[in-house]
Amino acid sequence: MRIVLLANSQGTAAGSGAGWLVEGEEYPELVRANLADEHEVIPFSRSGWSIDDFARRIDDIIACSPDLVIAQIGIVECTRRILSEREKAFFYRLRGGRRVTKWLHDRRNPVVTWRARAGLTTRVVPLPRFESQLRTFSLLVQNAGSKVLFVEIPPFGSAYEHTYLRFINTDVELYNRALRAHPSVALLGAADDLDGIWQPGTVHFQRHGHRLFADRLTDAIRAYAERQATEQRS
């Protein structure tokens, strides 16, 4: 198969610390290397991109003539933000506003907790639009003669959530339910080291997290290919 593998910053070397990864250790590159003798994998990773962004670039994706489009998305869309776009614009114009924004970022957990209590939860892509865009994206891929497989948003350990990203697993599960309405696969679960695979304070994998994710996705692709071959034989 020719596979286009879409990913947000979780598929890149992004992170808070220097030296976490070297070029070629990002999980899409590891998957490409793992499957080099079996399938052609074309990584397409973009930091900060949501389903909206990938949908806008659907022509570029389809131009690769993929048999399968794998999309690992969702963390950008589901994560709670300390400020809405309107609030960020207000502080940007305000004298000293950037210092206020940094102060809020440095206190993310109490800020998002207060916003939740006040009914001010903000996300980049609200759930209804996420669901709608998933349907649209799937139809565009299928109409081009390709198949699509979504990768569920990887969860976080309870200690990690409590320390760094309050409410993150609630948000991940909410958006994963939307992903499960389509062909999808979960790669990480409760039996994995969900506290230790992340670069501290971020949503980005450490080196061994990339390796684990790559190995699981490699297995999922092989299983998918086998199912497709079985269906064709029958």
Side-chain angles (χ1 to χ4, degrees):
M1 293 187 297
R2 173 177 287 177
I3 302 165
V4 174
L5 174 52
L6 310 179
N8 51 43
S9 62
Q10 290 184 323
T12 73
S16 60
W20 288 112
L21 295 172
V22 298
E23 185 176 353
E25 291 184 327
E26 307 93 336
Y27 85 78
E29 294 296 337
L30 297 178
V31 171
R32 175 157 64 177
N34 288 346
L35 295 172
D37 295 333
E38 303 164 59
H39 307 289
E40 180 185 4
V41 177
I42 304 171
F44 193 99
S45 301
R46 299 292 186 273
S47 291
W49 276 30
S50 69
I51 183 65
D52 291 347
D53 299 296
F54 285 113
R56 281 192 288 267
R57 295 294 295 274
I58 190 66
D59 290 342
D60 294 334
I61 296 166
I62 296 304
C64 297
S65 301
D67 301 295
L68 175 65
V69 174
I70 298 177
Q72 190 257 311
I73 55 174
I75 193 65
V76 172
E77 296 88 332
C78 80
T79 304
R80 301 183 191 210
R81 307 293 163 158
I82 64 164
L83 294 171
S84 68
E85 291 300 318
R86 180 178 296 180
E87 291 163 344
K88 283 194 292 186
F90 169 78
F91 282 114
Y92 183 81
R93 293 191 300 267
L94 187 68
R95 184 176 182 180
R98 294 185 182 184
R99 289 194 297 272
V100 174
T101 299
K102 184 181 184 304
W103 187 90
L104 294 171
H105 272 290
D106 291 343
R107 293 157 179 81
R108 181 190 185 278
N109 278 349
V111 170
V112 297
T113 298
W114 176 83
R115 290 182 68 90
R117 290 172 179 168
L120 298 174
T121 297
T122 299
R123 298 184 175 93
V124 170
V125 180
L127 182 60
R129 190 167 91 231
F130 185 66
E131 294 170 328
S132 175
Q133 285 285 55
L134 287 176
R135 291 191 294 270
T136 299
F137 184 85
S138 296
L139 285 173
L140 290 171
V141 172
Q142 293 166 17
N143 289 342
S146 303
K147 295 184 181 296
V148 64
L149 179 68
F150 292 104
V151 177
E152 290 188 21
I153 310 162
F156 298 79
S158 57
Y160 193 93
E161 177 183 35
H162 178 77
T163 302
Y164 298 113
L165 297 169
R166 197 71 50 82
F167 306 120
I168 190 64
N169 282 327
T170 299
D171 298 333
V172 165
E173 177 57 23
L174 187 66
Y175 280 61
N176 274 342
R177 289 175 191 167
L179 289 168
R180 292 181 196 126
H182 304 269
S184 60
V185 60
L187 300 182
L188 300 180
D192 295 308
D193 179 16
L194 299 180
D195 287 311
I197 61 174
W198 305 101
Q199 298 179 38
T202 77
V203 297
H204 302 117
F205 294 119
Q206 294 193 31
R207 180 178 286 110
H208 63 279
H210 276 278
R211 290 173 180 167
L212 175 62
F213 209 69
D215 289 344
R216 295 286 175 80
L217 185 52
T218 298
D219 291 343
I221 291 171
R222 286 174 173 151
Y224 178 91
E226 180 59 32
R227 289 195 301 272
Q228 292 297 113
T230 300
E231 290 177 6
Q232 291 174 2
R233 288 194 296 268
S234 62

